[in-house]
Amino acid sequence: MSAAGSLLVAAPLAAVLSLTVALRPRGTDAIAPLRLAVIRAAVVTGAFAVLTVELLGALRLLTLPAFAVAWLIFLTVAAGAAGRRRRRDGTPGDPAAAARAGLARLAGRWRTAGRGERLLAGTVGGLVLVELLIALLAEPNNFDSQTYHLPKVEHWVAQRGLEFWPTAIHRQVTIPPGAEYLLLHLRLFTGGDALHNLVQWAAGVGCLLGAARIAAQLGGGRRAQLLTAFVLATTPMVALQATSTQTDLVCAAWVACVATLALDGLRRRAGAGTLLLLGAATGLTAVTKTSGLIGVGPLLLLWGIGQLRLAYLDGPVRTAGDDPGRPVLVGVGAGAVGDGDHPAVTAGPAGPAVRGGVTGRPAGPSRGAGVARTAAGSLLVLLVALVVVGPFLARVQAEFGHPLGPPRLRESIPMERHDPASVLVNALRIGHTALDTPLAPVRAGTAEAIMAGSRAIGVDPQDRAITFGREVFPVPAWYPDEDRVAFPLVGALALVGAVLALARPARVAPAAAGALRAYAVVVVAAVLLHTAMIKWQPWGNRLLLYALILAAPLAGLWLDALFRRRLAPGRRSVAAGLAATVLAASALAGVLALSYGFPRRLVGAGSVLTTSEWDTRFLRRPQWTDEFRGAADAVRASGARRIGLVQQNDNWEYPWWLLLRDADGRPPELVALESVLPDRPPAAPASTDAIVCTGSRAACVKLVPPGWTLTWRGYVGYALPPT
């Protein structure tokens, strides 16, 4: 990494820190204001990163100098905004003094925390730091990243633009590229993939902050927020993906941003800034992973209902004192907050609205304007989201005649049957895989019951219309593998939390019972929609990660209610003991996932501390290591520069981009000899200097020109022209 690249790597972090200062809420009674400021800063920085790629890609300027100029301008604007905000607020201009003040506040909170709270916070912090260590030490070795996530980035760098290219791997061009856009910045700054894992690590931290703030918005105190962060941080899927180049955690982080911003809409009327942030977070979700919109849709609907309710009441927020016997929708009056531009609004006992201390008129005359404002705000959210995701959708539409891609993509993952029986079977299979445990008799018994019940209601449990590809239900999912590991503990806690939030919200969060119930409805609706829209697949647990992040606050809130409830001594000790046992088991699961999880672990065979670079990269398929490297050595020795690729949809392409580089790091010219894009024909085999193949030898033989020498090594082959 060059010195300039090292400085540029710090630009995104510096921009987020500056924007955190500039975008912190103006009101003094905002809920978790620092976390809100960080979330706002992350959304703005993410939107900038994505739009920068789109703009420079359209100009064919995906180069280090162009990105350097863009980031320096953005950082200058962010730093200027932070400086103006500090001067306006009268805070010291010395960053060191501000940092010392922040550390002093943190130390004060630590001193006032109980032993249990310290244990929760320490565990979360320790796991996050270990994940950071693994993310920095481990080379990217996720299977999908070898096939299409990272080859996308290399193609963009090679062609300096975002236009599609001939390829046999349709996912390189049809799957939304939002996470890869973020990787592209690091790729240009560093010249390699050494920091690629940090994108998902940062997304994991964002998920923890967002979920903890959601718990606070739903009436949870410090312990409830820590419990929420704890059950998330110790979830093996979260811990493993935080060190990966997968994309599920990035998607979940953007969904969490939408959720916490939407919940603010239950308490106050949204200003222009909030609308822009909601739209940007929605667009970032859509451009990262389309399935995340299943969670975003109900959240935006909840936000719209909250805004309409405030418009109908001309702004009042009913307090607990208005009707003690009825759950409060958005919490007590003290919880109603303003954002500086829109002061907090509450309702007094007599009913008139009180805005900023001034009694207002009855609601009637302004209802129409309020409804119109909500409709206009909703339209703005959608327009901003379209600005973020629209360019990618336009390219897909132009290429395939449909914004969601070719038929093979539209039919492979979404459900093709929606009758109640099929949806029920799909939901049961997804639930079985998500809650899988190491107890083989339990797994086998429940799976057999699901399949027998499926046949009894006339549904084939392996029906291709509700099952991805040629996969067969059931599959073991308990092992800590980043692509499929189940989450039985946090899943069970979230299920109990959802039931209690729907049935007894006042017992879980007395100060925000209505908001809790409404949020639980949204989470349950998202899960039901997911099971009705996405086919079962062995890797389906990672597609549910966004829903897990949304559900975690429900688990944290009811656990906190369990610990604080004053029960009879005997009953209280049993309940608290069971909860503590579950939390201890969750902590053990998180530690074991980081220690022995796959394909990046701290100890044992394949440890990131003792395993070489290439062995780490090929941990998924160690038998391919020598095959790829031997073929690449032979091709490089031939002096070939234009190299043809023969591969199938699930083959590894990324190793060729690394192994066929020149000694000075210059990437090769790789061209596909097969293409699934109808309007982008493949290169002619005779136009290449060499051919490398993976997977099918028969497919390779068909494309090797006469007279060339083909050498095959089991999974990998290469062909060279006559000397």
Side-chain angles (χ1 to χ4, degrees):
M1 188 191 311
S2 65
S6 301
L7 293 175
L8 287 171
V9 164
L13 177 59
V16 169
L17 292 176
S18 297
L19 289 173
T20 298
V21 175
L23 298 176
R24 68 179 184 269
R26 296 189 181 96
T28 58
D29 51 357
I31 297 175
L34 179 58
R35 272 171 276 169
L36 176 58
V38 172
I39 287 168
R40 289 173 171 177
V43 171
V44 172
T45 305
F48 164 78
V50 167
L51 293 176
T52 296
V53 172
E54 289 289 359
L55 177 60
L56 295 181
L59 299 174
R60 297 185 64 84
L61 286 175
L62 298 183
T63 61
L64 177 58
F67 274 63
V69 171
W71 274 103
L72 290 176
I73 293 174
F74 182 67
L75 184 56
T76 301
V77 173
R84 287 193 299 272
R85 179 63 185 272
R86 296 180 69 85
R87 289 191 297 271
R88 183 185 307 165
D89 294 345
T91 53
D94 183 9
R100 287 193 296 270
L103 291 175
R105 288 193 297 271
L106 184 61
R109 293 180 181 178
W110 181 261
R111 286 192 298 269
T112 60
R115 183 182 304 174
E117 292 175 347
R118 291 183 181 183
L119 182 60
L120 293 172
T123 303
V124 172
L127 290 173
V128 169
L129 290 177
V130 173
E131 291 162 8
L132 175 61
L133 174 66
I134 296 175
L136 290 172
L137 292 178
E139 287 76 22
N141 60 359
N142 173 264
F143 194 103
D144 284 348
S145 296
Q146 307 278 16
T147 300
Y148 67 98
H149 290 313
L150 300 186
K152 281 184 188 181
V153 178
E154 297 302 323
H155 278 286
W156 294 333
V157 173
Q159 63 190 24
R160 299 187 179 187
L162 298 175
E163 63 273 13
F164 292 161
W165 52 90
T167 178
I169 304 174
H170 77 87
R171 291 177 293 174
Q172 290 183 359
V173 296
T174 57
I175 299 293
E180 292 89 338
Y181 282 174
L182 306 182
L183 292 176
L184 176 61
H185 293 262
L186 293 178
R187 168 64 176 83
L188 290 173
F189 293 164
T190 65
D193 59 16
L195 300 182
H196 278 9
N197 293 330
L198 292 185
V199 171
Q200 281 259 112
W201 179 83
V205 173
C207 288
L208 296 178
L209 295 177
R213 184 170 190 265
I214 291 170
Q217 291 172 287
L218 297 176
R222 181 165 60 185
R223 184 173 58 191
Q225 297 168 48
L226 287 172
L227 284 166
T228 298
F230 179 88
V231 297
L232 260 187
T234 55
T235 301
M237 176 70 77
V238 175
L240 290 170
Q241 286 230 2
T243 65
S244 170
T245 47
Q246 259 296 5
T247 61
D248 306 284
L249 212 49
V250 177
C251 173
W254 297 133
V255 174
C257 291
V258 173
T260 192
L261 294 171
L263 282 176
D264 281 340
L266 300 184
R267 312 176 70 89
R268 61 171 176 247
R269 302 291 290 278
T274 299
L275 296 173
L276 293 174
L277 289 167
L278 263 177
T282 300
L284 289 169
T285 303
V287 81
T288 301
K289 211 173 189 71
T290 309
S291 58
L293 294 177
I294 298 174
V296 168
L299 287 167
L300 291 180
L301 181 60
L302 175 64
W303 172 83
I305 292 173
Q307 293 290 287
L308 287 174
R309 175 183 177 275
L310 294 177
Y312 180 79
L313 296 175
D314 193 26
V317 177
R318 193 167 54 78
T319 68
D322 293 335
D323 184 358
R326 183 179 178 186
V328 182
L329 177 61
V330 293
V332 296
V337 296
D339 61 2
D341 298 324
H342 302 87
V345 183
T346 61
V354 181
R355 186 183 300 273
V358 180
T359 302
R361 62 190 177 192
S366 63
R367 287 177 184 170
V371 171
R373 175 182 168 182
T374 301
S378 302
L379 181 60
L380 178 60
V381 169
L382 296 178
L383 288 175
V384 173
L386 191 60
V387 168
V388 176
V389 71
F392 169 71
L393 294 180
R395 288 195 297 275
V396 176
Q397 171 71 40
E399 190 73 34
F400 300 103
H402 195 288
L404 298 181
R408 64 183 300 176
L409 177 64
R410 302 198 305 271
E411 297 170 1
S412 62
I413 297 177
M415 288 275 284
E416 297 177 80
R417 289 180 56 178
H418 298 91
D419 56 286
S422 297
V423 172
L424 175 62
V425 171
N426 194 54
L428 290 174
R429 294 183 306 165
I430 289 176
H432 177 274
T433 305
L435 302 177
D436 190 23
T437 70
L439 304 175
V442 175
R443 180 191 316 121
T446 54
E448 185 57 39
I450 290 173
M451 290 190 290
S454 173
R455 297 186 188 100
I457 60 176
V459 178
D460 179 2
Q462 314 301 346
D463 186 352
R464 297 301 101 190
I466 62 173
T467 305
F468 178 82
R470 300 179 180 178
E471 305 301 327
V472 177
F473 173 84
V475 294
W478 63 269
Y479 185 78
D481 183 306
E482 66 171 351
D483 283 337
R484 65 172 67 191
V485 60
F487 32 83
L489 292 176
V490 66
L493 293 174
L495 284 174
V496 174
V499 171
L500 293 176
L502 293 171
R504 300 282 185 89
R507 295 183 62 183
V508 177
L516 176 61
R517 175 176 281 165
Y519 181 77
V521 169
V522 165
V523 173
V524 171
V527 173
L528 293 178
L529 286 172
H530 186 100
T531 60
M533 298 174 67
I534 304 296
K535 293 178 179 178
W536 175 87
Q537 55 183 282
W539 314 277
N541 288 342
R542 63 184 182 85
L543 301 183
L544 272 173
L545 196 53
Y546 74 90
L548 183 71
I549 304 299
L550 295 180
L554 302 178
L557 286 165
W558 87 260
L559 284 171
D560 178 63
L562 178 64
F563 286 129
R564 74 167 183 266
R565 193 175 304 137
R566 295 184 178 275
L567 301 174
R571 185 179 174 190
R572 181 182 182 185
S573 62
V574 171
L578 288 174
T581 301
V582 172
L583 292 177
S586 183
L588 179 62
V591 171
L592 290 176
L594 288 179
S595 300
Y596 297 99
F598 196 75
R600 291 166 302 282
R601 57 176 54 167
L602 273 180
V603 297
S607 166
V608 298
L609 301 176
T610 59
T611 307
S612 67
E613 173 189 349
W614 287 104
D615 287 340
T616 299
R617 292 185 184 277
F618 283 89
L619 270 177
R620 284 285 186 190
R621 297 291 187 271
Q623 68 274 22
W624 294 350
T625 308
D626 292 337
E627 296 181 15
F628 267 96
R629 298 184 71 179
D633 289 343
V635 171
R636 278 204 320 272
S638 72
R641 286 301 308 162
R642 181 176 168 87
I643 301 166
L645 293 175
V646 180
Q647 55 196 4
Q648 290 76 56
N649 188 54
D650 207 32
N651 291 172
W652 287 15
E653 179 181 314
Y654 186 59
W656 297 126
W657 288 98
L658 301 179
L659 293 168
L660 294 174
R661 288 183 178 180
D662 286 344
D664 60 359
R666 186 164 60 102
E669 182 185 357
L670 297 181
V671 295
L673 302 186
E674 297 174 293
S675 178
V676 295
L677 277 66
D679 296 329
R680 297 186 185 272
S687 69
T688 64
D689 303 324
I691 296 173
V692 291
C693 310
T694 51
S696 171
R697 176 172 182 165
C700 187
V701 169
K702 291 179 181 179
L703 291 169
V704 173
W708 286 38
T709 302
L710 173 63
T711 303
W712 198 261
R713 296 174 175 264
Y715 177 79
V716 175
Y718 65 94
L720 298 174
T723 304

